[in-house]
Amino acid sequence: MNHPPGWLKARLGDVADIRSGYGFPKALQGRSEGDYPFAKVRDISATVKAGELVLEGAVHWVDAADLVKLKARLLPAGATLLAKIGEAIRLNRRVIAGRDLLVDNNVFAVIPYGADELFLLFFMKTLDLYPLSIATAVPSIRKSDLAEVEMPIPPLNEQRRIAVKVDALLARSRRAKEALDAVPPLLEQFRQSVLAAAFRGDLTADWRAQNPDVEPADQLLERIRAERRRRWEKDYLAKQKAKGKTPKNDKWKSKYKEPDEPEFLNGQHSLPAGWTWTSVSCVTECLDSHRVPVTRKNRAPGPFPYYGANGQVDLIDQWLFDEPLVLVTEDETFYGRTKPIAYRVTGKCWVNNHAHVLRPLAPLDTRFIHFSLMHYPVWPWLTGTTGRAKLTQGALNRLPLAVPPLAELKVLVPRIESALALSNVLPEVEAGVGRLADLNRALLAQAFRGELVPQDPNDEPASVLLERIRAEREAAAPKKMRKDRGRAKDEAKS
């Protein structure tokens, strides 16, 4: 790559000292205050996730007296910090130390020596260091390999101009990202408001005023209940016939299990006239017995999707369901959620055993069941430990659902869809975040090609800067090292 006049290429080790961190005995860990932060990889990650460039603190702190025990030298403010071991290398997270501190032995500190601190940080952000890692069970980067990384060196004054410009532009990018990151929670609040209004009857209040004489929901549920039993009897007799058996009396009808009654917790709001409460098992058929283990995801790719409880889809080579369904996650808090991840499925697919599979009973459809479950605060029905709490099939069956009259339901569902369509901008938001990341990369690339700020012919050229750095480092080196270098030069001449 061609660089502007006055620029040079140099090794990272020519303009910076690279230091590893120190072991951190457990006896010194756990203090939340002290003289100096003792930063770990997670502190770097936390700073980056917070959208910050500067690391000012850490989870652990040490006192000045602990430096002797650790046999450690403080790292100066302005050092660039990065992970050097493990999968954290892939994340390419970099921060700058905002104060003197220590880091543990999973971290490298790159300390500028004559180069601008922010300029060095921004350059380090352009590097993907994972290819430099040693291919072992735990990937790691060697100090010697990092020191050999080539970097462009502009004049010092231009470095500062570049750093100021990049910092300002990245700050604008961070503000834009913060605005975009705030959109999904707002969209979720809007969706929940729409659904809450829908199942309070607010969305169809005008329709009810104009249509007071419609069949109430309890009559609809009575027909669904009768059809549910009729289908069970038909299926039971078919199974008996397949076994070569014929029931001699009606005692077999006592085997029929009535659907669960709704379980009300912490009270329920009142419903509009004509509406009624029912349970999930009264209006759906649970197909959980047809689910397949998670391990089936590892089969060879095929034409049909495999749905998991988190809504992700993989492709495998067979199909199981071929009808409209509603899937509800079984494992709630494991995914950090307090309501079901309910989504609709059409076409042939597999469903793994971490999702419940519901088939709505006619004349209800997947849309109504889907919307009903989307807004449910299901956490009171969860069982199990905090880390692996579950929404069991029995608890799901007992969830109460508010059901309107059928005529009103046919009006309600399209109105919900119309209102929620206003919130379907999440793909655009995600695309915007992706474009910001691309823009940041392009910005840094432009900066280190010398295209971001104008050059000043009066600036001291980089060659003079590098020569001064070499002289200063030579003067600061231990005497023995200088003698050894002098001896090596004499031997080379001879």
Side-chain angles (χ1 to χ4, degrees):
M1 181 188 300
N2 294 324
H3 289 107
W7 287 45
L8 285 178
K9 283 186 179 179
R11 301 179 314 118
L12 181 59
D14 292 333
V15 294
D17 287 334
I18 302 170
R19 294 189 203 166
S20 292
Y22 300 91
F24 195 15
K26 286 189 177 181
L28 297 180
Q29 297 183 29
R31 278 181 277 170
S32 58
E33 57 183 27
D35 296 324
Y36 305 107
F38 199 115
K40 293 174 170 280
V41 172
R42 67 176 178 178
D43 298 304
I44 296 173
S45 295
T47 303
V48 172
K49 288 178 181 178
E52 302 293 336
L53 290 174
V54 182
L55 187 150
E56 294 281 1
V59 173
H60 303 283
W61 291 69
V62 294
D63 292 326
D66 297 322
L67 299 181
V68 178
K69 301 174 187 176
L70 293 166
K71 299 179 180 178
R73 283 189 300 163
L74 286 172
L75 298 170
T80 293
L81 310 178
L82 63 144
K84 71 171 187 178
I85 293 177
E87 288 302 307
I89 299 172
R90 286 186 188 275
L91 301 175
N92 290 312
R93 289 171 174 162
R94 321 274 189 259
V95 296
I96 192 169
R99 55 178 296 164
D100 292 354
L101 48 67
L102 296 176
V103 296
D104 80 352
N105 50 7
N106 292 326
V107 176
F108 269 140
V110 182
I111 305 167
Y113 199 107
D116 183 81
E117 298 167 354
L118 270 181
F119 179 84
L120 180 61
L121 170 68
F122 292 139
F123 172 73
M124 295 299 296
K125 281 181 169 289
T126 68
L127 300 178
D128 178 9
L129 295 178
Y130 196 78
L132 290 182
S133 60
I134 304 170
T136 59
V138 180
S140 62
I141 302 173
R142 292 181 298 201
K143 175 180 174 180
S144 57
D145 291 336
L146 184 58
E148 292 297 321
V149 170
E150 271 196 347
M151 69 175 292
I153 307 296
L156 184 57
N157 285 337
E158 188 171 348
Q159 290 181 33
R160 292 166 179 157
R161 293 196 299 273
I162 290 172
V164 169
K165 184 72 171 180
V166 170
D167 190 33
L169 293 175
L170 289 183
R172 291 172 60 183
S173 177
R174 285 195 297 275
R175 289 193 294 272
K177 185 176 184 301
E178 288 170 2
L180 290 173
D181 288 343
V183 172
L186 293 175
L187 292 178
E188 181 60 23
Q189 290 178 20
F190 173 75
R191 282 192 287 265
Q192 290 307 311
S193 297
V194 169
L195 292 170
F199 291 100
R200 285 195 309 263
D202 296 351
L203 288 189
T204 46
D206 61 329
W207 184 92
R208 280 195 308 279
Q210 298 171 12
N211 300 272
D213 301 320
V214 296
E215 178 190 68
D218 54 2
Q219 294 184 26
L220 166 65
L221 294 180
E222 191 58 40
R223 290 202 308 276
I224 291 175
R225 188 184 293 267
E227 177 61 19
R228 185 178 185 272
R229 177 162 192 137
R230 188 195 67 78
R231 286 182 58 182
W232 180 87
E233 292 178 354
K234 181 181 177 181
D235 292 344
Y236 180 86
L237 292 174
K239 290 176 183 177
Q240 294 299 305
K241 184 177 180 180
K243 296 177 181 179
K245 299 178 181 179
T246 303
K248 296 180 180 180
N249 51 47
D250 289 344
K251 288 184 178 180
W252 59 273
K253 293 185 178 181
S254 64
K255 297 178 180 290
Y256 176 72
K257 184 180 181 299
E258 291 289 343
D260 297 277
E261 291 299 318
E263 179 181 359
F264 297 106
L265 299 179
N266 302 322
Q268 298 293 317
H269 61 77
S270 59
L271 296 176
W275 289 49
T276 191
W277 288 104
T278 190
S279 69
V280 167
S281 64
C282 285
V283 293
T284 67
E285 180 182 3
C286 188
L287 304 179
D288 282 7
S289 60
H290 300 297
R291 300 174 302 175
V292 292
V294 177
T295 53
R296 295 294 293 274
K297 281 202 303 185
N298 298 325
R299 297 185 60 164
F304 304 114
Y306 177 102
Y307 285 90
N310 58 0
Q312 294 179 349
V313 174
D314 291 317
L315 300 180
I316 67 172
D317 60 352
Q318 298 185 45
W319 63 273
L320 187 60
F321 299 108
D322 187 13
E323 55 191 310
L325 303 168
V326 175
L327 308 183
V328 184
T329 181
E330 175 184 272
D331 201 334
E332 289 299 321
T333 57
F334 180 73
Y335 292 104
R337 309 231 179 199
T338 56
K339 61 183 180 59
I341 309 172
Y343 49 100
R344 288 175 286 163
V345 177
T346 58
K348 299 177 180 180
C349 65
W350 289 89
V351 177
N352 83 26
N353 59 337
H354 286 304
H356 295 296
V357 188
L358 301 177
R359 176 166 55 197
L361 298 177
L364 303 181
D365 65 16
T366 55
R367 295 176 301 168
F368 173 73
I369 303 299
H370 177 219
F371 292 142
S372 297
L373 293 173
M374 270 180 66
H375 85 296
Y376 234 98
V378 76
W379 60 265
W381 284 269
L382 297 178
T383 60
T385 62
T386 302
R388 296 288 294 185
K390 288 185 178 181
L391 177 67
T392 64
Q393 181 180 334
L396 176 63
N397 286 342
R398 297 189 299 274
L399 285 178
L401 298 182
V403 181
L406 182 59
E408 186 174 350
L409 187 149
K410 292 179 179 178
V411 175
L412 176 63
V413 169
R415 289 190 179 185
I416 294 175
E417 289 179 323
S418 178
L420 292 184
L422 299 175
S423 67
N424 293 336
V425 297
L426 196 55
E428 287 79 2
V429 173
E430 293 172 345
V433 172
R435 285 194 293 271
L436 277 178
D438 292 340
L439 182 63
N440 290 344
R441 285 190 288 270
L443 166 67
L444 291 172
Q446 185 181 19
F448 293 101
R449 288 196 304 265
E451 300 171 359
L452 190 62
V453 299
Q455 281 73 48
D456 185 343
N458 296 319
D459 284 343
E460 176 188 78
S463 57
V464 176
L465 169 65
L466 290 174
E467 186 57 41
R468 184 168 63 251
I469 291 172
R470 278 193 289 268
E472 290 176 356
R473 296 181 81 170
E474 178 73 21
K479 291 183 178 180
K480 182 178 183 302
M481 185 181 296
R482 293 203 300 271
K483 288 180 180 179
D484 290 343
R485 288 178 181 172
R487 187 180 301 113
K489 289 180 181 178
D490 292 339
E491 291 174 355
K493 290 178 181 178
S494 61

